[in-house]
């Protein structure tokens, strides 16, 4: 029978909105929301709330109870078909005897990869796939890269002036952007698994690199400091670790053994990585290590040298620039360091550029061209 595409889009977007409730809590699992609709009314809602907890479909089915029978189930990612920390969602959907399943996106996880949909088809449940697929891909862009490559999705974020500066020549940078932009930055930290900075940023600003949201307590990402020669001061704020504040220092064989021992005694994780020819930490090796330890979504907050290296080696997936209507001038510190670009054919190109206003500031979002 034909289905109403507009209705499917309406309810799928509600499932996508529900899925966002898991931001900061479910990674490296995907963000998933689910809506059950019967006789034109929503009878069940759910979303994946925390890593290791019940999946979205289970929450929605539990809320619907007996009303789930004959309902249409909308979910933004294919129901799982394997037993992990929870039983297969596809089996729960079949047992609930829903009349139809609408899915935004097939799950590329090798443990699923169409098997969930196959189970539903074998059970005789009609399936529609691809409703709001583009929106679903964007919502779970970090998960999709992580599950297919084993490496985290890398977002380069910075607050800059209109002429591309992150600080004055003296290093002063507080505050380039306004309150709304700074709140958005903390929301990005809340959603990230890790936040990456270079040792220069730590020495200059002594940041906490924690999440501070005005309306609720946010999740603190793993703080990752790239410090090839281990110059991190023992009194730096990022060495203040606790159950909800962890720090990893990525260094090389150049690191003094005594400094390593002192930082580890404070609870800081110090990991030695291979080095590039210039002695700096091999960032590809660092990303692989982080992926192996469950980091799916990484936010880079500086500085200029680290950002340039990541861009030059094409290790960045997305760029977020919070642009303030201010000008510092040529003696300010540029957002990106030397990238070795000599001709226009060598420039780093961006695609899918979009913008939005945040008070007096603008947020520009773009993806690197592969």
């Amino acid at each position: 029978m034909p289905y109403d595409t507009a209705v499917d889009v309406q309810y799928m977007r509600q499932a996508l909105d529900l899925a966002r409730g898991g931001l900061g809590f479910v990674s490296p699992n995907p963000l998933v929301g689910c809506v059950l609709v019967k006789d034109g009314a929503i009878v069940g809602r759910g979303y994946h709330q925390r890593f290791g907890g019940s999946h979205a479909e289970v929450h929605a089915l539990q809320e619907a109870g007996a009303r789930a029978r004959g309902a249409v189930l909308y979910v933004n990612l294919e129901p799982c078909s394997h037993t992990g920390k929870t039983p297969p969602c596809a089996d729960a959907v079949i047992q609930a005897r829903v009349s139809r399943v609408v899915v935004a996106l097939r799950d590329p996880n090798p443990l699923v990869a169409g098997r969930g949909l196959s189970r539903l088809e074998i059970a005789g449940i009609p399936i529609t796939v691809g409703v709001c697929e583009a929106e679903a891909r964007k919502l779970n862009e970090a998960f999709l890269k992580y599950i297919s490559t084993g490496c985290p999705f890398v977002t380069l974020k910075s607050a800059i002036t209109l002429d591309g500066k992150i600080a004055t020549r003296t290093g002063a940078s507080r505050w380039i952007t306004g309150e709304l932009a700074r709140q958005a930055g903390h929301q990005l930290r809340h959603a990230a698994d890790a936040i990456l900075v270079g040792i220069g940023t730590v020495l200059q600003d002594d940041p906490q690199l924690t999440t501070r949201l005005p309306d609720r307590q946010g999740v603190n990402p793993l703080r990752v400091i790239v410090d090839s020669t281990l110059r991190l001061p023992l009194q730096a704020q990022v060495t203040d670790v606790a159950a909800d504040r962890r720090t990893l220092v990525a260094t090389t064989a150049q690191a003094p053994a005594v400094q390593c021992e002192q930082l580890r005694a404070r609870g800081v994780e110090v990991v030695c990585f291979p080095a590039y020819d210039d002695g700096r930490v091999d960032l590809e090796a660092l990303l692989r290590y982080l992926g192996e330890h469950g980091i799916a979504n990484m936010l880079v907050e500086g500085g200029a040298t680290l950002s340039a290296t990541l861009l030059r080696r094409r290790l960045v997936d997305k760029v977020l620039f919070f642009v303030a209507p201010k000008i510092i001038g040529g003696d300010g510190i540029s957002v990106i360091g030397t990238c070795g670009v000599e001709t226009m054919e060598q420039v780093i190109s961006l695609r899918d550029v979009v913008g939005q206003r945040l008070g007096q500031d603008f947020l520009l979002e773009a993806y690197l061209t592969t």
Side-chain angles (χ1 to χ4, degrees), residues 129-188:
V129 180
V131 176
C132 300
E133 180 176 352
E135 296 167 54
R137 284 189 176 279
K138 183 170 180 59
L139 176 67
N140 272 312
E141 59 189 6
F143 167 76
L144 293 174
K145 181 192 176 183
Y146 173 75
I147 204 65
S148 60
T149 68
C151 288
F153 185 89
V154 178
T155 300
L156 175 60
K157 170 257 178 184
S158 190
I160 64 174
T161 59
L162 199 59
D163 57 341
K165 307 301 180 182
I166 56 173
T168 68
R169 63 180 179 81
T170 63
S173 60
R174 296 184 181 178
W175 296 104
I176 286 178
T177 54
E179 183 63 28
L180 287 178
R182 296 200 297 274
Q183 288 181 19
H186 280 284
Q187 181 62 41
L188 289 170

Side-chain angles (χ1 to χ4, degrees), residues 55 79-90 107 109 111-112 119:
H55 290 185
C80 66
S81 57
H82 65 291
T83 299
K85 293 183 179 296
T86 60
C89 289
D107 191 343
N109 186 339
L111 296 175
V112 184
R119 286 199 189 189

Side-chain angles (χ1 to χ4, degrees), residues 16-353:
L16 288 164
D17 286 341
L18 283 168
R20 293 183 178 91
L23 276 169
F25 302 107
V26 303
S27 187
N29 280 356
L31 298 164
V32 184
C34 181
V35 173
L36 281 160
V37 179
K38 187 172 186 179
D39 299 327
I42 294 177
V43 296
R45 296 180 179 85
Y47 69 95
H48 187 30
Q49 299 176 8
R50 61 181 178 83
F51 179 74
S54 297
H55 290 185
E57 300 93 322
V58 173
H59 284 295
L61 289 169
Q62 288 176 343
E63 182 177 288
R67 295 175 296 174
R69 182 171 182 173
V72 179
L73 184 146
Y74 293 86
V75 63
N76 62 291
L77 192 69
E78 174 184 356
C80 66
S81 57
H82 65 291
T83 299
K85 293 183 179 296
T86 60
C89 289
D91 291 354
V93 172
I94 293 168
Q95 292 166 8
R97 302 184 71 178
V98 302
S99 64
R100 177 175 167 242
V101 173
V102 182
V103 176
L105 187 65
R106 295 177 185 271
D107 191 343
N109 186 339
L111 296 175
V112 184
R115 294 182 182 88
L117 296 178
S118 294
R119 286 199 189 189
L120 299 178
E121 289 176 338
I122 291 170
I125 299 175
I127 299 169
T128 301
V129 180
V131 176
C132 300
E133 180 176 352
E135 296 167 54
R137 284 189 176 279
K138 183 170 180 59
L139 176 67
N140 272 312
E141 59 189 6
F143 167 76
L144 293 174
K145 181 192 176 183
Y146 173 75
I147 204 65
S148 60
T149 68
C151 288
F153 185 89
V154 178
T155 300
L156 175 60
K157 170 257 178 184
S158 190
I160 64 174
T161 59
L162 199 59
D163 57 341
K165 307 301 180 182
I166 56 173
T168 68
R169 63 180 179 81
T170 63
S173 60
R174 296 184 181 178
W175 296 104
I176 286 178
T177 54
E179 183 63 28
L180 287 178
R182 296 200 297 274
Q183 288 181 19
H186 280 284
Q187 181 62 41
L188 289 170
R189 288 184 180 181
H190 168 76
D193 301 323
I195 181 170
L196 180 72
V197 301
I199 183 59
T201 296
V202 176
L203 295 176
Q204 175 65 45
D205 299 334
D206 190 24
Q208 296 181 55
L209 301 180
T210 54
T211 301
R212 300 180 295 279
L213 297 173
D215 57 339
R216 58 195 169 92
Q217 183 176 357
V219 177
N220 290 319
L222 170 69
R223 300 172 294 194
V224 182
I225 317 300
V226 179
D227 185 1
S228 302
T229 57
L230 209 55
R231 295 182 289 155
L232 180 64
L234 295 178
Q235 67 273 20
Q237 292 195 88
V238 292
T239 67
D240 179 16
V241 298
D244 66 335
R245 293 192 307 276
R246 299 178 300 127
T247 298
L248 182 152
V249 178
T251 190
T252 69
Q254 304 172 74
V258 173
Q259 179 78 343
C260 288
E261 294 172 3
Q262 290 175 329
L263 285 170
R264 287 170 176 152
R266 292 182 65 88
V268 175
E269 184 180 359
V270 180
V271 181
C272 187
F273 290 93
Y276 294 133
D277 291 341
D278 62 3
R280 299 180 186 274
V281 169
D282 183 324
L283 298 177
E284 285 92 343
L286 172 58
L287 291 179
R288 288 194 298 270
Y289 176 89
L290 292 173
E292 290 166 359
H293 288 76
I295 301 299
N297 187 7
M298 188 171 73
L299 186 66
V300 181
E301 290 199 9
T305 301
L306 176 62
S307 298
T309 303
L310 288 164
L311 286 168
R312 189 171 64 248
R313 303 186 79 88
R314 300 301 193 271
L315 299 177
V316 174
D317 296 292
K318 182 164 72 172
V319 173
L320 292 174
F321 283 164
F322 293 87
V323 185
K326 300 173 183 178
I327 293 174
I328 289 178
D331 55 349
I333 300 173
S334 296
V335 60
I336 306 296
T338 302
C339 289
V341 173
E342 296 181 353
T343 68
M344 289 307 297
E345 288 72 28
Q346 296 174 323
V347 299
I348 298 165
S349 298
L350 304 174
R351 60 176 174 81
D352 301 333
V353 181

